[in-house]
Amino acid sequence: DARVTQTPRHKVTEMGQEVTMRCQPILGHNTVFWYRQTMMQGLELLAYFRNRAPLDDSGMPKDRFSAEMPDATLATLKIQPSEPRDSAVYFCASGAGTGREDEQFFGPGTRLTVL
Amino acid sequence: GDSVTQMEGPVTLSEEAFLTINCTYTATGYPSLFWYVQYPGEGLQLLLKATKADDKGSNKGFEATYRKETTSFHLEKGSVQVSDSAVYFCALGNSGGYQKVTFGTGTKLQVIP
């Protein structure tokens, strides 16, 4: 049963600390998305990659957020330094990337709390 | 740019009631339309989709018809169950081969016994 995995599932940290979230997309998928979900803002697209290359990261605060795909099986989202307003659930999703009709497969999310 | 508007929630229904969640969209070209569902504590998952005008997507008793003339994709179910309690997101895909999707704000459904 292929699925997207994310680690950690929960993270509590203090303001100013670095946070790294990891995602393993479904094997063979070449498109990866990072989303942030909050009660106030809903679901926001932070960044997305195709074939490991970033296509759009305009949704990310550039001064503190960075997203990378070191290889096809790992995507990372890093926040440095973290702030209380970064508290949210962060989702990774992957897709086959063959067209606009494709389904996105979401991971279970990382719930981040910054104190 | 592309956008999706869906009805505000929460929607509270009794078990076996009829469900409609309205969704309208703005897009150029010929987008694909989706409904995703998010159960508590989980990520979103695809519920159904339609890829061209007049297509009807259906799954688990839910259905939605792609109406180009009214730019709508309303979600319906004839008889809801407590297990349908979740947040429902309307979405559209319209970016060529890059699979980027524009999501609505989500509608929370609560079904009471």
CSV table of all heavy atoms in Angstrom, one decimal, chain B residues 4-58:
chain,number,residue,atom,x,y,z
B,4,VAL,N,-11.3,29.1,-6.3
B,4,VAL,CA,-12.4,28.2,-5.9
B,4,VAL,C,-13.1,28.8,-4.7
B,4,VAL,O,-12.5,29.2,-3.7
B,4,VAL,CB,-11.9,26.8,-5.5
B,4,VAL,CG1,-13.0,25.9,-5.0
B,4,VAL,CG2,-11.2,26.1,-6.7
B,5,THR,N,-14.4,28.8,-4.8
B,5,THR,CA,-15.2,29.4,-3.7
B,5,THR,C,-16.2,28.3,-3.2
B,5,THR,O,-17.0,27.7,-4.1
B,5,THR,CB,-16.0,30.6,-4.1
B,5,THR,OG1,-15.1,31.6,-4.6
B,5,THR,CG2,-16.8,31.2,-3.0
B,6,GLN,N,-16.2,27.9,-2.0
B,6,GLN,CA,-17.1,26.9,-1.5
B,6,GLN,C,-17.8,27.5,-0.3
B,6,GLN,O,-17.4,28.4,0.4
B,6,GLN,CB,-16.4,25.6,-1.2
B,6,GLN,CG,-15.3,25.6,-0.2
B,6,GLN,CD,-14.7,24.3,0.0
B,6,GLN,OE1,-13.5,24.0,-0.4
B,6,GLN,NE2,-15.4,23.4,0.7
B,7,MET,N,-19.0,26.9,0.0
B,7,MET,CA,-19.8,27.4,1.1
B,7,MET,C,-19.1,27.3,2.4
B,7,MET,O,-18.4,26.4,2.7
B,7,MET,CB,-21.2,26.7,1.1
B,7,MET,CG,-21.1,25.2,1.3
B,7,MET,SD,-22.7,24.4,1.1
B,7,MET,CE,-23.6,25.0,2.5
B,8,GLU,N,-19.5,28.3,3.2
B,8,GLU,CA,-18.9,28.3,4.6
B,8,GLU,C,-19.5,27.2,5.4
B,8,GLU,O,-20.7,26.9,5.2
B,8,GLU,CB,-19.2,29.7,5.2
B,8,GLU,CG,-18.6,30.9,4.5
B,8,GLU,CD,-17.4,31.4,5.3
B,8,GLU,OE1,-17.2,31.1,6.4
B,8,GLU,OE2,-16.6,32.1,4.6
B,9,GLY,N,-18.7,26.7,6.3
B,9,GLY,CA,-19.3,25.8,7.3
B,9,GLY,C,-19.4,26.4,8.7
B,9,GLY,O,-19.2,27.6,8.8
B,10,PRO,N,-19.6,25.6,9.7
B,10,PRO,CA,-19.8,24.2,9.6
B,10,PRO,C,-21.3,23.9,9.1
B,10,PRO,O,-22.2,24.7,9.3
B,10,PRO,CB,-19.6,23.7,11.0
B,10,PRO,CG,-19.9,24.8,11.9
B,10,PRO,CD,-19.5,26.1,11.1
B,11,VAL,N,-21.4,22.7,8.5
B,11,VAL,CA,-22.7,22.2,8.2
B,11,VAL,C,-23.0,21.1,9.1
B,11,VAL,O,-22.2,20.1,9.3
B,11,VAL,CB,-22.7,21.7,6.7
B,11,VAL,CG1,-24.0,21.0,6.4
B,11,VAL,CG2,-22.4,22.8,5.7
B,12,THR,N,-24.2,21.2,9.8
B,12,THR,CA,-24.6,20.1,10.7
B,12,THR,C,-25.8,19.5,10.2
B,12,THR,O,-26.8,20.2,9.9
B,12,THR,CB,-24.8,20.7,12.1
B,12,THR,OG1,-23.6,21.3,12.6
B,12,THR,CG2,-25.2,19.6,13.1
B,13,LEU,N,-25.8,18.2,10.1
B,13,LEU,CA,-26.9,17.4,9.5
B,13,LEU,C,-27.2,16.2,10.4
B,13,LEU,O,-26.3,15.7,11.1
B,13,LEU,CB,-26.7,16.9,8.1
B,13,LEU,CG,-26.5,17.9,7.0
B,13,LEU,CD1,-26.1,17.3,5.7
B,13,LEU,CD2,-27.8,18.7,6.8
B,14,SER,N,-28.4,15.8,10.4
B,14,SER,CA,-28.8,14.5,11.1
B,14,SER,C,-28.5,13.4,10.2
B,14,SER,O,-28.5,13.5,8.9
B,14,SER,CB,-30.3,14.5,11.4
B,14,SER,OG,-30.6,15.5,12.4
B,15,GLU,N,-28.2,12.2,10.8
B,15,GLU,CA,-27.9,11.0,10.0
B,15,GLU,C,-29.1,10.8,9.0
B,15,GLU,O,-30.2,11.0,9.3
B,15,GLU,CB,-27.7,9.8,10.9
B,15,GLU,CG,-26.9,8.7,10.4
B,15,GLU,CD,-26.4,7.7,11.4
B,15,GLU,OE1,-27.1,7.7,12.5
B,15,GLU,OE2,-25.4,7.1,11.2
B,16,GLU,N,-28.7,10.3,7.8
B,16,GLU,CA,-29.6,10.0,6.7
B,16,GLU,C,-30.2,11.3,6.0
B,16,GLU,O,-31.0,11.1,5.0
B,16,GLU,CB,-30.8,9.1,7.2
B,16,GLU,CG,-30.3,7.8,7.7
B,16,GLU,CD,-31.5,6.9,8.1
B,16,GLU,OE1,-32.6,7.3,7.9
B,16,GLU,OE2,-31.2,5.8,8.6
B,17,ALA,N,-29.7,12.5,6.4
B,17,ALA,CA,-30.2,13.7,5.7
B,17,ALA,C,-29.4,13.8,4.3
B,17,ALA,O,-28.4,13.1,4.1
B,17,ALA,CB,-29.9,14.9,6.5
B,18,PHE,N,-30.0,14.6,3.5
B,18,PHE,CA,-29.4,14.9,2.2
B,18,PHE,C,-28.3,16.0,2.3
B,18,PHE,O,-28.5,17.0,3.0
B,18,PHE,CB,-30.5,15.4,1.2
B,18,PHE,CG,-30.0,15.6,-0.2
B,18,PHE,CD1,-29.9,14.5,-1.1
B,18,PHE,CD2,-29.5,16.8,-0.7
B,18,PHE,CE1,-29.4,14.7,-2.4
B,18,PHE,CE2,-29.1,17.0,-2.0
B,18,PHE,CZ,-29.0,15.9,-2.8
B,19,LEU,N,-27.2,15.8,1.6
B,19,LEU,CA,-26.1,16.8,1.7
B,19,LEU,C,-25.8,17.5,0.4
B,19,LEU,O,-25.8,16.8,-0.7
B,19,LEU,CB,-24.8,16.0,2.1
B,19,LEU,CG,-23.5,16.8,2.0
B,19,LEU,CD1,-23.5,17.9,3.1
B,19,LEU,CD2,-22.3,15.9,2.1
B,20,THR,N,-25.7,18.8,0.5
B,20,THR,CA,-25.2,19.5,-0.7
B,20,THR,C,-24.1,20.5,-0.1
B,20,THR,O,-24.4,21.2,0.8
B,20,THR,CB,-26.2,20.3,-1.4
B,20,THR,OG1,-27.2,19.5,-1.9
B,20,THR,CG2,-25.6,21.1,-2.5
B,21,ILE,N,-22.9,20.5,-0.7
B,21,ILE,CA,-21.9,21.5,-0.4
B,21,ILE,C,-21.6,22.2,-1.8
B,21,ILE,O,-21.2,21.5,-2.7
B,21,ILE,CB,-20.6,20.9,0.2
B,21,ILE,CG1,-20.9,20.2,1.5
B,21,ILE,CG2,-19.6,22.0,0.4
B,21,ILE,CD1,-19.7,19.5,2.1
B,22,ASN,N,-21.9,23.5,-1.8
B,22,ASN,CA,-21.7,24.2,-3.0
B,22,ASN,C,-20.3,24.6,-3.3
B,22,ASN,O,-19.5,24.9,-2.4
B,22,ASN,CB,-22.5,25.5,-3.0
B,22,ASN,CG,-24.0,25.2,-3.1
B,22,ASN,OD1,-24.5,24.2,-3.6
B,22,ASN,ND2,-24.8,26.1,-2.5
B,23,CYS,N,-19.9,24.5,-4.6
B,23,CYS,CA,-18.5,24.9,-5.0
B,23,CYS,C,-18.7,25.6,-6.4
B,23,CYS,O,-19.3,25.0,-7.3
B,23,CYS,CB,-17.6,23.7,-5.1
B,23,CYS,SG,-16.0,24.1,-5.9
B,24,THR,N,-18.1,26.8,-6.5
B,24,THR,CA,-18.0,27.4,-7.8
B,24,THR,C,-16.5,27.8,-8.1
B,24,THR,O,-15.7,27.9,-7.1
B,24,THR,CB,-18.8,28.7,-7.9
B,24,THR,OG1,-18.4,29.6,-6.9
B,24,THR,CG2,-20.3,28.4,-7.8
B,25,TYR,N,-16.2,27.9,-9.3
B,25,TYR,CA,-14.8,28.1,-9.6
B,25,TYR,C,-14.6,29.2,-10.7
B,25,TYR,O,-15.5,29.5,-11.4
B,25,TYR,CB,-14.1,26.8,-10.1
B,25,TYR,CG,-14.6,26.4,-11.5
B,25,TYR,CD1,-14.0,26.8,-12.7
B,25,TYR,CD2,-15.7,25.5,-11.5
B,25,TYR,CE1,-14.5,26.3,-13.9
B,25,TYR,CE2,-16.2,25.1,-12.7
B,25,TYR,CZ,-15.6,25.5,-13.9
B,25,TYR,OH,-16.1,25.1,-15.1
B,26,THR,N,-13.4,29.8,-10.8
B,26,THR,CA,-13.0,30.7,-11.8
B,26,THR,C,-11.7,30.2,-12.4
B,26,THR,O,-10.8,29.9,-11.6
B,26,THR,CB,-12.8,32.1,-11.2
B,26,THR,OG1,-14.0,32.6,-10.6
B,26,THR,CG2,-12.4,33.1,-12.3
B,27,ALA,N,-11.7,30.0,-13.7
B,27,ALA,CA,-10.5,29.5,-14.3
B,27,ALA,C,-10.5,29.7,-15.8
B,27,ALA,O,-11.5,29.8,-16.4
B,27,ALA,CB,-10.3,28.0,-14.0
B,28,THR,N,-9.3,29.8,-16.4
B,28,THR,CA,-9.2,29.9,-17.8
B,28,THR,C,-9.0,28.4,-18.3
B,28,THR,O,-8.6,27.5,-17.6
B,28,THR,CB,-8.0,30.7,-18.2
B,28,THR,OG1,-6.8,30.2,-17.6
B,28,THR,CG2,-8.2,32.2,-17.8
B,29,GLY,N,-9.4,28.2,-19.5
B,29,GLY,CA,-9.1,26.9,-20.1
B,29,GLY,C,-10.1,25.9,-19.6
B,29,GLY,O,-11.2,26.1,-19.3
B,30,TYR,N,-9.6,24.7,-19.5
B,30,TYR,CA,-10.4,23.5,-19.2
B,30,TYR,C,-9.8,22.8,-18.0
B,30,TYR,O,-9.1,21.8,-18.1
B,30,TYR,CB,-10.5,22.6,-20.4
B,30,TYR,CG,-11.0,23.3,-21.6
B,30,TYR,CD1,-10.1,23.8,-22.5
B,30,TYR,CD2,-12.4,23.5,-21.8
B,30,TYR,CE1,-10.6,24.5,-23.6
B,30,TYR,CE2,-12.8,24.2,-22.9
B,30,TYR,CZ,-11.9,24.7,-23.8
B,30,TYR,OH,-12.4,25.4,-24.9
B,31,PRO,N,-10.1,23.3,-16.8
B,31,PRO,CA,-9.5,22.6,-15.6
B,31,PRO,C,-10.1,21.3,-15.3
B,31,PRO,O,-11.3,21.0,-15.7
B,31,PRO,CB,-9.8,23.6,-14.5
B,31,PRO,CG,-11.1,24.3,-14.9
B,31,PRO,CD,-11.0,24.4,-16.4
B,32,SER,N,-9.5,20.5,-14.5
B,32,SER,CA,-10.0,19.4,-13.8
B,32,SER,C,-10.5,19.8,-12.5
B,32,SER,O,-10.0,20.7,-11.9
B,32,SER,CB,-9.0,18.3,-13.6
B,32,SER,OG,-8.6,17.7,-14.9
B,33,LEU,N,-11.6,19.2,-12.0
B,33,LEU,CA,-12.2,19.5,-10.7
B,33,LEU,C,-12.2,18.3,-9.8
B,33,LEU,O,-12.4,17.2,-10.2
B,33,LEU,CB,-13.6,20.0,-10.9
B,33,LEU,CG,-13.8,21.3,-11.8
B,33,LEU,CD1,-15.2,21.6,-12.1
B,33,LEU,CD2,-13.1,22.5,-11.2
B,34,PHE,N,-12.0,18.6,-8.5
B,34,PHE,CA,-11.8,17.6,-7.5
B,34,PHE,C,-12.6,17.9,-6.2
B,34,PHE,O,-12.8,19.1,-5.9
B,34,PHE,CB,-10.3,17.5,-7.0
B,34,PHE,CG,-9.3,17.3,-8.2
B,34,PHE,CD1,-8.8,18.4,-8.8
B,34,PHE,CD2,-8.9,16.1,-8.5
B,34,PHE,CE1,-7.9,18.3,-9.8
B,34,PHE,CE2,-8.0,15.9,-9.6
B,34,PHE,CZ,-7.5,17.0,-10.2
B,35,TRP,N,-12.9,16.9,-5.5
B,35,TRP,CA,-13.3,17.0,-4.1
B,35,TRP,C,-12.4,16.1,-3.3
B,35,TRP,O,-12.2,14.9,-3.6
B,35,TRP,CB,-14.8,16.6,-3.8
B,35,TRP,CG,-15.8,17.6,-4.1
B,35,TRP,CD1,-16.5,17.8,-5.3
B,35,TRP,CD2,-16.1,18.7,-3.3
B,35,TRP,NE1,-17.3,18.9,-5.2
B,35,TRP,CE2,-17.1,19.5,-4.0
B,35,TRP,CE3,-15.7,19.2,-2.0
B,35,TRP,CZ2,-17.7,20.7,-3.4
B,35,TRP,CZ3,-16.3,20.3,-1.5
B,35,TRP,CH2,-17.2,21.1,-2.2
B,36,TYR,N,-11.7,16.8,-2.3
B,36,TYR,CA,-10.9,16.0,-1.3
B,36,TYR,C,-11.6,16.1,0.0
B,36,TYR,O,-12.3,17.0,0.3
B,36,TYR,CB,-9.5,16.7,-1.2
B,36,TYR,CG,-8.6,16.4,-2.3
B,36,TYR,CD1,-8.6,17.1,-3.5
B,36,TYR,CD2,-7.5,15.5,-2.1
B,36,TYR,CE1,-7.7,16.8,-4.5
B,36,TYR,CE2,-6.6,15.2,-3.1
B,36,TYR,CZ,-6.7,15.9,-4.3
B,36,TYR,OH,-5.8,15.6,-5.3
B,37,VAL,N,-11.3,15.0,0.8
B,37,VAL,CA,-11.9,14.9,2.2
B,37,VAL,C,-10.8,14.8,3.2
B,37,VAL,O,-9.8,14.1,2.9
B,37,VAL,CB,-12.9,13.8,2.3
B,37,VAL,CG1,-12.3,12.4,1.9
B,37,VAL,CG2,-13.6,13.7,3.7
B,38,GLN,N,-10.9,15.4,4.3
B,38,GLN,CA,-9.9,15.3,5.4
B,38,GLN,C,-10.7,14.9,6.7
B,38,GLN,O,-11.5,15.6,7.2
B,38,GLN,CB,-9.2,16.7,5.6
B,38,GLN,CG,-8.2,16.6,6.7
B,38,GLN,CD,-7.4,18.0,6.9
B,38,GLN,OE1,-8.0,19.0,6.7
B,38,GLN,NE2,-6.2,17.9,7.3
B,39,TYR,N,-10.3,13.7,7.1
B,39,TYR,CA,-10.9,13.2,8.4
B,39,TYR,C,-10.0,13.7,9.5
B,39,TYR,O,-8.8,14.0,9.3
B,39,TYR,CB,-10.9,11.7,8.4
B,39,TYR,CG,-11.9,11.1,7.3
B,39,TYR,CD1,-11.4,10.6,6.1
B,39,TYR,CD2,-13.3,11.2,7.4
B,39,TYR,CE1,-12.2,10.1,5.1
B,39,TYR,CE2,-14.1,10.7,6.4
B,39,TYR,CZ,-13.6,10.2,5.3
B,39,TYR,OH,-14.4,9.7,4.3
B,40,PRO,N,-10.6,13.8,10.7
B,40,PRO,CA,-9.8,14.3,11.8
B,40,PRO,C,-8.4,13.7,12.0
B,40,PRO,O,-8.3,12.5,12.0
B,40,PRO,CB,-10.7,14.1,13.0
B,40,PRO,CG,-12.1,14.1,12.4
B,40,PRO,CD,-11.9,13.4,11.1
B,41,GLY,N,-7.4,14.5,12.1
B,41,GLY,CA,-6.1,14.0,12.4
B,41,GLY,C,-5.4,13.4,11.2
B,41,GLY,O,-4.3,12.8,11.3
B,42,GLU,N,-5.9,13.6,10.0
B,42,GLU,CA,-5.3,12.9,8.8
B,42,GLU,C,-5.1,14.0,7.7
B,42,GLU,O,-5.5,15.1,7.8
B,42,GLU,CB,-6.3,11.9,8.2
B,42,GLU,CG,-6.6,10.7,9.2
B,42,GLU,CD,-7.4,9.7,8.6
B,42,GLU,OE1,-7.7,9.7,7.4
B,42,GLU,OE2,-7.9,8.8,9.3
B,43,GLY,N,-4.3,13.5,6.7
B,43,GLY,CA,-4.2,14.4,5.5
B,43,GLY,C,-5.4,14.3,4.6
B,43,GLY,O,-6.3,13.5,4.8
B,44,LEU,N,-5.4,15.1,3.6
B,44,LEU,CA,-6.5,15.1,2.6
B,44,LEU,C,-6.3,13.9,1.7
B,44,LEU,O,-5.2,13.3,1.5
B,44,LEU,CB,-6.4,16.3,1.7
B,44,LEU,CG,-6.9,17.7,2.2
B,44,LEU,CD1,-6.0,18.2,3.3
B,44,LEU,CD2,-7.0,18.7,1.1
B,45,GLN,N,-7.5,13.4,1.3
B,45,GLN,CA,-7.5,12.3,0.3
B,45,GLN,C,-8.6,12.6,-0.7
B,45,GLN,O,-9.6,13.2,-0.4
B,45,GLN,CB,-7.7,10.9,1.0
B,45,GLN,CG,-9.0,10.9,1.8
B,45,GLN,CD,-9.1,9.6,2.6
B,45,GLN,OE1,-9.6,8.6,2.1
B,45,GLN,NE2,-8.6,9.5,3.8
B,46,LEU,N,-8.3,12.1,-1.9
B,46,LEU,CA,-9.2,12.4,-3.0
B,46,LEU,C,-10.5,11.6,-2.8
B,46,LEU,O,-10.5,10.4,-2.5
B,46,LEU,CB,-8.6,11.9,-4.3
B,46,LEU,CG,-9.4,12.1,-5.6
B,46,LEU,CD1,-9.6,13.6,-5.8
B,46,LEU,CD2,-8.8,11.4,-6.8
B,47,LEU,N,-11.6,12.3,-2.9
B,47,LEU,CA,-12.9,11.7,-2.8
B,47,LEU,C,-13.5,11.4,-4.2
B,47,LEU,O,-13.9,10.3,-4.5
B,47,LEU,CB,-13.9,12.6,-2.1
B,47,LEU,CG,-15.3,12.2,-1.9
B,47,LEU,CD1,-15.4,10.9,-1.1
B,47,LEU,CD2,-16.2,13.2,-1.3
B,48,LEU,N,-13.4,12.4,-5.1
B,48,LEU,CA,-13.9,12.1,-6.5
B,48,LEU,C,-13.3,13.3,-7.4
B,48,LEU,O,-12.9,14.3,-6.9
B,48,LEU,CB,-15.4,12.1,-6.6
B,48,LEU,CG,-16.2,13.2,-6.0
B,48,LEU,CD1,-16.3,14.4,-7.0
B,48,LEU,CD2,-17.6,12.8,-5.6
B,49,LYS,N,-13.4,13.0,-8.7
B,49,LYS,CA,-12.9,14.1,-9.6
B,49,LYS,C,-13.7,14.0,-10.9
B,49,LYS,O,-14.4,13.0,-11.2
B,49,LYS,CB,-11.4,13.9,-9.9
B,49,LYS,CG,-11.1,12.7,-10.7
B,49,LYS,CD,-9.6,12.6,-10.9
B,49,LYS,CE,-9.2,11.4,-11.8
B,49,LYS,NZ,-7.7,11.3,-12.0
B,50,ALA,N,-13.6,15.1,-11.7
B,50,ALA,CA,-14.2,15.1,-13.0
B,50,ALA,C,-13.2,15.9,-13.9
B,50,ALA,O,-12.7,17.0,-13.5
B,50,ALA,CB,-15.6,15.8,-13.0
B,51,THR,N,-13.0,15.5,-15.1
B,51,THR,CA,-11.9,16.1,-15.9
B,51,THR,C,-12.5,16.9,-17.1
B,51,THR,O,-11.7,17.6,-17.7
B,51,THR,CB,-11.0,15.0,-16.4
B,51,THR,OG1,-11.7,14.1,-17.2
B,51,THR,CG2,-10.3,14.3,-15.3
B,52,LYS,N,-13.8,16.8,-17.4
B,52,LYS,CA,-14.3,17.7,-18.4
B,52,LYS,C,-15.8,18.0,-18.2
B,52,LYS,O,-16.4,17.3,-17.4
B,52,LYS,CB,-14.1,17.0,-19.8
B,52,LYS,CG,-14.8,15.7,-20.0
B,52,LYS,CD,-14.4,15.1,-21.3
B,52,LYS,CE,-15.2,13.9,-21.7
B,52,LYS,NZ,-14.9,12.7,-20.7
B,53,ALA,N,-16.3,18.9,-18.9
B,53,ALA,CA,-17.6,19.4,-18.7
B,53,ALA,C,-18.6,18.3,-18.9
B,53,ALA,O,-18.5,17.4,-19.7
B,53,ALA,CB,-18.0,20.5,-19.7
B,54,ASP,N,-19.6,18.3,-18.0
B,54,ASP,CA,-20.7,17.3,-17.9
B,54,ASP,C,-20.3,15.9,-17.3
B,54,ASP,O,-21.2,15.1,-17.2
B,54,ASP,CB,-21.4,17.1,-19.3
B,54,ASP,CG,-22.0,18.4,-19.8
B,54,ASP,OD1,-22.5,19.2,-19.0
B,54,ASP,OD2,-21.9,18.6,-21.0
B,55,ASP,N,-19.0,15.8,-17.0
B,55,ASP,CA,-18.6,14.6,-16.3
B,55,ASP,C,-19.2,14.5,-14.9
B,55,ASP,O,-19.3,15.6,-14.3
B,55,ASP,CB,-17.1,14.5,-16.2
B,55,ASP,CG,-16.4,13.8,-17.3
B,55,ASP,OD1,-17.1,13.3,-18.3
B,55,ASP,OD2,-15.2,13.7,-17.3
B,56,LYS,N,-19.5,13.3,-14.5
B,56,LYS,CA,-20.0,13.2,-13.1
B,56,LYS,C,-18.9,12.3,-12.4
B,56,LYS,O,-18.7,11.2,-12.8
B,56,LYS,CB,-21.3,12.5,-13.0
B,56,LYS,CG,-21.8,12.3,-11.6
B,56,LYS,CD,-23.1,11.5,-11.5
B,56,LYS,CE,-24.3,12.4,-11.9
B,56,LYS,NZ,-25.6,11.7,-11.6
B,57,GLY,N,-18.4,12.8,-11.3
B,57,GLY,CA,-17.5,12.0,-10.4
B,57,GLY,C,-18.3,11.4,-9.3
B,57,GLY,O,-19.3,12.1,-8.8
B,58,SER,N,-18.0,10.2,-8.9
B,58,SER,CA,-18.8,9.6,-7.8
B,58,SER,C,-17.9,8.6,-7.0
B,58,SER,O,-16.9,8.0,-7.6
B,58,SER,CB,-20.0,8.8,-8.4
B,58,SER,OG,-19.6,7.8,-9.2
